[in-house]
Amino acid sequence: MSETAVQTKEVTPQVSGASKAADALEARLGALSLPAGGFTAGARAEALARLRDMGLPGPRDEYWRYTDPRAFNTARPAPLAIEENAPDSPLFADIDKLTLVFVDGEFDAEASDDLSLDGIVIDTLAQADAAGDHWARDLYGVLEASGQSPVKRPFAALNTVAARDGVLIHVTGKPSKPVHVIHRRADEAADVNWHHVVRVETGAELTLLETGMVGARSNGVLEADLAKGAKLHHITSKRAGHQTVGLSHIFARVEAEAQLKAFALSVNGTVMRHEGVIDIVGDDAVAHIAAAALGDGNVGRFHHDDTVFITHAAERCESRQVFKKVLKNGAEGVFQGKILVKPGAQKTDGYQISQALLLDEASQFLAKPELEIYADDVKCSHGSTTGAIDETALFYLRSRGVPYERAIVFLVLSFLADALEEIEDEVLREQINDRLEAWLTRRAKQ
Amino acid sequence: MLKIDNLHVKLEEEDKQILKGLSLEVPAGEVHAIMGPNGSGKSTLSYVLSGRDGYEVTEGGATLEGEDLLDMDPEERAAAGLFLAFQYPVEIPGVGNMTFLRTAVNAQRKARGEEELSSGEFLKLVRAKAKDLQIDAEMLKRPVNVGFSGGEKKRNEILQMAMLEPRMCIMDETDSGLDVDAMRLVSDGVNALRDAGRSFLVITHYQRLLNHIKPDVVHIMSNGRIVKSGGPELALQVEEEGYGDLLAEAG
């Protein structure tokens, strides 16, 4: 059934709503060319059953109340011109790293570095899936499946079904440089499902960078499994066109004494949603997830949603959520963040802050912070603020001769500073900061 | 240098007149002090002169070397040579003190059609001036005023003043929150900047600061106007007798 037929069919909602939704899902699946899978075949079949059971989300689903899921439900994305002059991604260009390039979500070996590096084994999903059994079999679709409760995430299941490629990284040591995944576009109508799996063994460490542009529509999943004392630092900055529709998910399992730090920078995009589902399962572990998003409603609709669910299931663990959004000209921001402290997760230290800087009265920010605590000796806090530029600080800067537009750039960077602080590596942080500054300076003039 | 003529100012948000016909002239090279009780309009005067939003000039005017100040944006006033040392310098997390200072210096130079300083030139200059004010490299690297003590913030204001080399400096209660040593440091910094081409308007509650920064003229302000002007002895009189008799005498 075509997309148009689904959208225009006149039905009475009570009787046919469910079948209409099921039709939409089948149309969505039908538009993708689904891989049969090798080592992933079982996981894909289970995910498909899960997905059919859940169905696509509707506006009445609790976690889709603030973000209209329709852009992700249509069978195909609207084609999106590929900007000729868009540089690949100057970000992280001049640091020593191992680069993998994906074009419309498929690995491009020629454009990529040699994948061998001490302390780490890198494969790509499509190749490994064709080759037979693989270590990632224990994780592919597994962390996604466990992240489906208590909140349903149908698009993550759809990703497990449909993902054609991605990177599989097994970290056994401390590689000398970060791994950098760069996404590129080729087909104007590409509907990309990428799926990465990372396993960081006991005491091993990895920094994973991810940049570039993904598809006219994209849906990504990163499954990360951190063994005892492992460290994973994930820094992503995906360039989006003004009309891009994108979803991404991180599913992480963090064992004892391990440290997960994730930071995402987003600029542009018409409807973007990032979900973080983090299970802290071992004592003394740390999980930080932070993001900065900037949008200007003047260049097309901007709607950005961060939805985070952190579960503490062990003692003396620390989690931090730091989410900042800068919204301008009718841009919309959403934050849904939850900390769940399970019985017995004593001495939990959970912190959550979501803040929006509204540069005008037309923009809006919706925040839904949640705490659910079943242990009695914990420290959890959450806060959410929405505010405008601080007039006193603006005057202070201008009184020193800093021009108005430049002063606004300073104050926006100042607002975002807490989120950027979550990037441990100073060089990487500086590069992200410079990228932001350039974007802000460019936009200030428009 | 600075000429204020019959200045009337009200708050934009509420119908409250703060300055009610204030006139004052600070010639080049002179230091003038303004003293006055709380609520007399001293801070409003400093904000109106430097261009803060929220005030409406209903009558009168102010010029800096003949140029109409009140017509300019705050950054234009700064480039024209006006500097306000804040009573409460603002903390700006995430923006390095050096980045801020260099942007300010170069923006002013650019606005005046002068060549911008290279990072090498800037660094050399800022290090020399910071040393005089006992501001160490660590303080320069930190975000603007974040984690600074009261004294450090005021020293940072004087460092900005020294780097920007304004012609007209307004100091809004710079002595507030300073201990004796910090007051001496700040005063030494200001005194080092005194020259024939630079003027100061020092706003203060107390005579104490004026022991260190010796004024040529002292003005007493009350209820939005200058009610009495005189030499440094006027400040001493305030210190000994309070404002009561002076204001009564001025009617």
Side-chain angles (χ1 to χ4, degrees), chain A residues 115-144:
Chain A
L115 299 187
S116 50
L117 180 65
D118 276 353
I120 188 170
V121 178
I122 304 175
D123 296 305
T124 55
L125 175 60
Q127 281 175 4
D129 219 7
D133 206 8
H134 196 269
W135 62 263
R137 190 161 69 103
D138 295 338
L139 293 172
Y140 185 90
V142 172
L143 297 187
E144 175 261 298

Side-chain angles (χ1 to χ4, degrees), chain A residues 263-280:
Chain A
F263 171 87
L265 171 68
S266 305
V267 294
N268 300 333
T270 187
V271 185
M272 306 293 278
R273 170 149 158 158
H274 299 294
E275 297 196 16
V277 184
I278 295 166
D279 284 341
I280 305 175

Side-chain angles (χ1 to χ4, degrees), chain A residues 250-438:
Chain A
I250 295 179
F251 293 94
R253 180 167 64 199
V254 185
E255 291 174 26
E257 295 161 38
Q259 287 189 17
L260 170 72
K261 295 203 173 173
F263 171 87
L265 171 68
S266 305
V267 294
N268 300 333
T270 187
V271 185
M272 306 293 278
R273 170 149 158 158
H274 299 294
E275 297 196 16
V277 184
I278 295 166
D279 284 341
I280 305 175
V281 297
D283 295 340
D284 303 294
V286 171
H288 291 191
I289 180 161
L294 300 91
D296 184 344
N298 249 6
V299 286
R301 181 173 178 227
F302 177 88
H303 180 98
H304 190 281
D305 174 340
D306 281 299
T307 293
V308 182
F309 200 117
I310 295 186
T311 304
H312 282 263
E315 292 188 19
R316 297 178 304 277
C317 295
E318 172 194 311
S319 72
R320 253 178 98 80
Q321 302 173 47
V322 182
F323 287 83
K324 303 255 183 171
K325 292 183 206 292
V326 180
L327 306 169
K328 183 176 171 181
N329 293 320
E332 301 152 12
V334 174
F335 173 77
Q336 306 183 94
K338 181 157 183 171
I339 305 173
L340 168 63
V341 180
K342 288 197 162 175
Q346 301 296 10
K347 307 279 182 197
T348 286
D349 181 357
Y351 173 81
Q352 178 197 91
I353 182 87
S354 65
Q355 295 181 302
L357 177 62
L358 307 185
L359 297 181
D360 53 55
E361 287 177 4
S363 301
Q364 63 166 334
F365 178 57
L366 301 162
K368 191 174 81 169
E370 291 177 281
L371 295 179
E372 196 177 331
I373 300 171
Y374 298 101
D376 58 8
D377 184 14
V378 303
K379 188 173 83 182
C380 281
S381 65
H382 66 79
S384 182
T385 66
T386 304
I389 286 282
D390 178 348
E391 291 296 330
T392 305
L394 179 60
F395 172 60
Y396 186 65
L397 290 168
R398 295 178 78 193
S399 77
R400 297 302 180 253
V402 178
Y404 176 82
E405 283 166 1
R406 181 77 195 137
I408 297 285
V409 171
F410 272 146
L411 294 176
V412 170
L413 289 173
S414 173
F415 168 76
L416 295 173
D418 294 348
L420 265 69
E421 279 300 308
E422 293 294 330
I423 303 171
E424 272 179 14
D425 186 302
E426 205 171 322
V427 174
L428 300 177
R429 185 167 65 236
E430 282 292 317
Q431 292 203 3
I432 294 263
N433 198 68
D434 292 350
R435 155 70 70 93
L436 271 170
E437 194 170 335

Side-chain angles (χ1 to χ4, degrees), chain B residues 26-47:
Chain B
V26 186
E30 290 193 3
V31 174
H32 286 214
I34 294 187
M35 300 180 76
N38 287 330
S40 55
K42 301 189 300 293
S43 284
T44 296
L45 175 64
S46 68
Y47 287 146

